[in-house]
Amino acid sequence: MSHIYAVAQLEKTSALWPELATAQAEKMCAISQYWQPEKVDQLQQNTPTPLLMGQLLRFNTPFYRFEKVHSVIPGHLYVVANARLDNREQIFQLLDAAVDAEIADGMLIGLLYQRFNLECLQHLLGDFAFIIWDEAQRQLFAACDHFGVKNLFYGYCDLGLMVSNEHKALLMAPGLDNQINPDYLVKQWLPLPDVGYVSPCKGIKSIPPAHYLLVNHDGASCQRYWQLQQRDYPEFSNKVQSIAGLRQRFELAVQRRLVTDFTVGAELSEGLDSTSICGVAAKILATEELLTFSYRCEPINENNKETYRDILDFVEMYDNIRPQWREVEPKQSETELNRAIFNAFGAPMPQTGQWLERYPLITDTQVRTLLSGWGGDHCVTGYADFFEDELLKSAKLLTLLKLLKSKHRRGRGSQPIKVLLRLLLKHLSTAFYRRYLLCKDPLLKQYNLILQAQPLRSQWIHEDKIEQSKRIVLGRTELQSVQQRDWRELFDIGVHWRLFGSEVAGRFFQLEYRFPMLDKELVEYVYSMPSAYKIWNGVERSMFRDAISGLVTERIRTRLKSDVILPKGMLQSQLEHKKLQLEHLITELQHHPLTQYFFDEASFAAIPTNFASMPMVVTKLEALKALCKLYDQKLIFLPEFEENLPVLD
């Protein structure tokens, strides 16, 4: 894990640059001390273009030890990278060079850029964020990986253009536009497309996943460089070969993420995604230990023994899996840990990960790589929802009826005749079908409630945001294929918000998250696979269940997701705790100047009544509390006065 940054004065040169840059370099080091970097490298040049670049890192992979501010061409081409590349050997082949274990991933990125310019992105595979300064073209080039496992922010301050993966570095930069960004609050309270992290600070932008930032004499532009598309694979003509191809790519996705000089850890529930990842990892690691972390890592008791029964049965399959349990209660609550992460990051976030109380235990075990199954059911282990629509559109009515009967017998669908009638209604009258679902579908009802009851003043919500929100709420009613559903889950509803929070929380606890289920090549393969393979004979996730045969227990491999048993009382105790939190936060925040400025007074007071999903609302209010704290510290300021808004002292 790394803190990387670059500052360049592109438009005008200040005589104070040397002193300002030196002071900023010291600030960059101070900002990262919370995760205890083990190596620091910085570069400062005063001419021809005033430039400051740096990297602070903790060691993890063998190649991390060689990371620094790389001078690809001294005086002309520099690169810093927070990267874990999966295709090093292929890159060396492209460069006509011998494989060299002492060449860091950042240097490889710089060499690719030297050879291919912006097209270097087409040759990168893995989790990465990098910044390149090209003196010859006097341009800055930065990019993030395909799904946003690694992140970057940028903005303009007194020093010039600043790019960094530490949000607080920009927040504390002199001369940055620190007005509160209303779009941050709008995204908090309305269901909107996942287009990357929106900072509460107007002067801070983020580079979305699969995008690059290019800044030169023509100005600044942020462009997409990759898009998930249907591809042809020869094995798709045969189901058995397709499943073998899936097994091969899945094992490779896990193997790529095991590269580390330290013990590997993994999140482990009793679901398909995490158990299959742990199964592959344990086989590859062979005699090396794999430490696993389940829920809150509480010792086994009467409340959780049914949950852990499946986990322990799975663990018995492997000699090198070591489940980790807490021996004492956490010193800090989830709320306290969240607030500490917000403070280190310099702003509130939508999600900092699950079961935060177990993170100190992970840190104590010296794990620096944590595998996670997050993102699996967004595509790779998806349920093949909307395959019925594909069959209806292609007039395969007998196959459709057989599918509906099989799903009903398995407990994953209503009576076939009812489903068929709903399908016909959907395809004959989309508008009527939409109204029907808004009355019947619990998820759509919840989304629609959020849209109708959001408490922000109308002045802050532009019409385009309302339309985007409606498309998110109603978009599910228009889906007519498995691929459309997977696209929506990956990019509209999105995986990035969780990946973003995981990276920030991981850095706080000195570890790096890795997500095998979001391996680019694996996702492309499954996305392109024939839908019928994904729900063979009415069994959802069929192709993945077949692909992981022998890796997990048969009970786990064949179960329904609804069979998963959470520890007794967990959800109820959470809801009771969140209810108390909600009442306290409403009382604490309703008279704060920032709340009065952005929120409708009556709607804010009615939040406990209008919002049924209390845990989600508490998260939003905790973020608002963190924002109010930044305002009280005078790190951010209210935007300029607008008509019909209260004037505050």
Side-chain angles (χ1 to χ4, degrees):
M1 101 192 80
S2 299
H3 170 197
I4 59 173
Y5 64 86
V7 186
Q9 279 201 346
L10 300 175
E11 296 181 358
K12 57 182 180 179
T13 303
S14 168
L16 298 176
W17 164 262
E19 292 80 9
L20 291 172
T22 301
Q24 187 62 38
E26 292 174 358
K27 284 184 182 178
M28 293 297 191
C29 290
I31 284 166
S32 294
Q33 285 308 304
Y34 68 93
W35 53 270
Q36 298 176 12
E38 295 168 330
K39 179 180 177 181
V40 178
D41 188 48
Q42 295 175 322
L43 176 145
Q44 179 178 333
Q45 72 173 31
N46 301 325
T47 59
T49 301
L51 177 70
L52 175 68
M53 296 183 77
Q55 179 167 39
L56 298 88
L57 61 87
R58 283 180 70 82
F59 301 126
N60 194 339
T61 75
F63 317 114
Y64 273 35
R65 299 182 183 277
F66 306 105
E67 288 291 4
K68 59 181 181 178
V69 181
H70 298 288
S71 298
V72 183
I73 305 175
H76 295 279
L77 187 60
Y78 300 105
V79 58
V80 286
N82 180 26
R84 182 196 55 78
L85 297 182
D86 293 329
N87 60 332
R88 286 175 56 89
E89 290 187 9
Q90 292 90 333
I91 292 173
F92 279 111
Q93 290 174 6
L94 274 172
L95 297 172
D96 300 318
V99 175
D100 188 340
E102 294 190 4
I103 293 183
D105 290 343
M107 186 63 169
L108 283 179
I109 292 170
L111 293 170
L112 278 175
Y113 173 83
Q114 184 185 14
R115 174 77 64 90
F116 299 103
N117 208 279
L118 305 190
E119 289 300 308
C120 67
L121 288 163
Q122 305 309 317
H123 303 292
L124 293 178
L125 196 62
D127 304 333
F128 57 83
F130 65 81
I131 312 166
I132 291 175
W133 173 252
D134 185 338
E135 186 66 51
Q137 300 189 62
R138 208 161 182 271
Q139 72 179 15
L140 184 141
F141 175 51
C144 296
D145 60 68
H146 304 86
F147 291 105
V149 178
K150 306 293 186 185
N151 296 276
L152 284 173
F153 311 97
Y154 66 97
Y156 292 90
C157 63
D158 289 346
L159 289 158
L161 171 67
M162 180 182 290
V163 184
S164 173
N165 63 337
E166 282 277 18
H167 181 274
K168 199 168 189 175
L170 282 93
L171 182 69
M172 305 297 287
L176 190 92
D177 182 359
N178 279 12
Q179 289 187 79
I180 296 173
N181 181 7
D183 285 347
Y184 167 81
L185 289 166
V186 173
K187 190 172 182 183
Q188 283 280 305
W189 290 93
L190 283 181
L192 290 169
D194 186 11
V195 293
Y197 177 72
V198 176
S199 172
C201 182
K202 220 172 198 178
I204 303 176
K205 310 296 182 186
S206 65
I207 301 177
H211 282 68
Y212 68 80
L213 171 71
L214 186 66
V215 184
N216 53 29
H217 62 275
D218 292 326
S221 65
C222 195
Q223 302 291 329
R224 175 178 287 276
Y225 66 83
W226 172 80
Q227 194 154 281
L228 183 61
Q229 294 178 334
Q230 170 75 33
R231 299 180 61 188
D232 294 325
Y233 295 84
E235 52 262 59
F236 284 171
S237 60
N238 180 280
K239 179 173 178 282
V240 174
Q241 292 178 6
S242 297
I243 291 171
L246 174 56
R247 172 76 173 241
Q248 176 188 8
R249 287 168 174 82
F250 175 56
E251 290 181 343
L252 181 59
V254 177
Q255 182 180 11
R256 287 166 166 168
R257 286 157 179 81
L258 296 178
V259 179
T260 178
D261 287 333
F262 300 87
T263 302
V264 178
E267 297 179 337
L268 177 61
S269 70
E270 67 274 39
L272 276 182
D273 298 357
S274 65
T275 52
S276 58
I277 288 170
C278 288
V280 172
K283 288 184 67 174
I284 294 172
L285 291 170
T287 58
E288 296 180 47
E289 288 186 338
L290 174 66
L291 306 187
T292 59
F293 304 88
S294 302
Y295 299 104
R296 289 196 174 94
C297 297
E298 297 169 318
I300 299 172
N301 55 49
E302 286 299 314
N303 290 331
N304 61 32
K305 66 180 182 180
E306 285 301 310
T307 300
Y308 289 151
R309 176 171 67 100
D310 284 332
I311 293 174
L312 295 177
D313 286 347
F314 163 73
V315 168
E316 284 295 314
M317 296 178 64
Y318 300 94
D319 294 333
N320 59 335
I321 294 183
R322 302 282 184 268
Q324 303 295 298
W325 311 111
R326 282 193 287 103
E327 296 181 357
V328 296
E329 284 296 307
K331 294 180 180 179
Q332 292 178 286
S333 68
E334 182 174 330
T335 299
E336 290 170 332
L337 289 170
N338 254 321
R339 289 173 182 170
I341 294 170
F342 288 175
N343 182 62
F345 178 68
M349 295 173 297
Q351 171 66 266
T352 53
Q354 288 186 306
W355 322 116
L356 283 182
E357 298 100 320
R358 71 186 178 194
Y359 278 77
L361 172 63
I362 301 174
T363 303
D364 290 344
T365 61
Q366 304 300 308
V367 162
R368 296 196 181 189
T369 291
L370 189 67
L371 303 178
S372 173
W374 168 253
D377 56 10
H378 290 69
C379 180
V380 172
T381 62
Y383 294 84
D385 292 340
F386 304 100
F387 182 46
E388 297 94 330
D389 294 78
E390 294 182 37
L391 293 175
L392 182 63
K393 286 193 297 180
S394 58
K396 296 180 179 178
L397 300 183
L398 290 178
T399 306
L400 171 59
L401 188 59
K402 181 180 177 181
L403 172 67
L404 297 180
K405 288 180 178 179
S406 299
K407 288 182 68 173
H408 182 59
R409 283 195 299 269
R410 188 166 164 76
R412 282 195 55 83
S414 302
Q415 294 180 3
I417 187 63
K418 290 184 178 180
V419 179
L420 190 57
L421 288 173
R422 284 199 295 268
L423 275 173
L424 290 171
L425 175 63
K426 176 180 180 179
H427 287 263
L428 291 173
S429 177
T430 303
F432 191 80
Y433 177 71
R434 184 180 294 163
R435 289 197 294 272
Y436 166 81
L437 278 189
L438 284 172
C439 296
K440 297 291 185 180
D441 187 290
L443 186 59
L444 279 179
K445 287 170 70 175
Q446 184 184 55
Y447 271 141
N448 197 45
L449 176 63
I450 293 171
L451 183 58
Q452 299 300 322
Q454 67 78 24
L456 290 168
R457 293 177 177 273
S458 60
Q459 292 97 323
W460 299 114
I461 306 176
H462 299 296
E463 188 61 33
D464 65 317
K465 299 296 183 185
I466 296 292
E467 291 304 313
Q468 289 177 31
S469 190
K470 286 180 179 177
R471 285 198 295 271
I472 286 293
V473 172
L474 302 175
R476 186 174 173 83
T477 66
E478 299 170 358
L479 300 178
Q480 296 188 8
S481 73
V482 176
Q483 281 192 347
Q484 288 178 2
R485 177 266 176 198
D486 290 351
W487 178 277
R488 171 180 161 87
E489 291 295 317
L490 286 168
F491 302 111
D492 288 342
I493 302 299
V495 295
H496 179 254
W497 59 274
R498 173 71 176 271
L499 301 181
F500 178 85
S502 295
E503 188 198 21
V504 174
R507 189 157 58 231
F508 186 86
F509 291 103
Q510 303 170 357
L511 61 91
E512 182 177 78
Y513 263 98
R514 297 180 184 173
F515 302 90
M517 293 298 186
L518 292 172
D519 181 272
K520 172 181 174 285
E521 292 183 336
L522 177 62
V523 170
E524 288 176 333
Y525 183 81
V526 176
Y527 180 77
S528 303
M529 182 180 284
S531 300
Y533 293 172
K534 303 178 183 181
I535 189 164
W536 198 259
N537 292 329
V539 178
E540 76 289 346
R541 309 168 109 180
S542 175
M543 81 297 181
F544 191 76
R545 295 176 193 273
D546 290 343
I548 63 171
S549 179
L551 291 174
V552 302
T553 64
E554 277 300 291
R555 173 177 162 82
I556 289 175
R557 193 179 75 85
T558 58
R559 79 189 319 164
L560 291 167
K561 185 159 185 173
S562 57
D563 294 336
V564 173
I565 304 170
L566 290 173
K568 291 179 182 177
M570 176 183 287
L571 291 179
Q572 184 59 38
S573 63
Q574 281 184 332
L575 287 174
E576 290 174 0
H577 177 65
K578 296 292 185 183
K579 184 176 181 180
L580 292 174
Q581 272 188 290
L582 177 59
E583 293 170 355
H584 177 74
L585 285 166
I586 290 292
T587 302
E588 180 181 5
L589 295 173
Q590 61 184 344
H591 299 302
H592 192 278
L594 191 148
T595 305
Q596 294 179 336
Y597 195 71
F598 285 104
F599 291 84
D600 176 79
E601 184 177 357
S603 298
F604 189 84
I607 284 175
T609 304
N610 290 338
F611 287 85
S613 179
M614 286 187 290
M616 173 270 295
V617 174
V618 168
T619 301
K620 296 177 186 299
L621 290 175
E622 280 289 345
L624 177 61
K625 180 175 179 175
L627 199 64
C628 290
K629 182 178 179 181
L630 291 175
Y631 173 79
D632 293 339
Q633 294 171 335
K634 301 189 184 305
L635 292 175
I636 56 174
F637 304 92
L638 294 174
E640 294 179 5
F641 175 75
E642 295 192 13
E643 188 178 357
N644 299 324
L645 292 177
V647 179
L648 302 175
D649 296 332

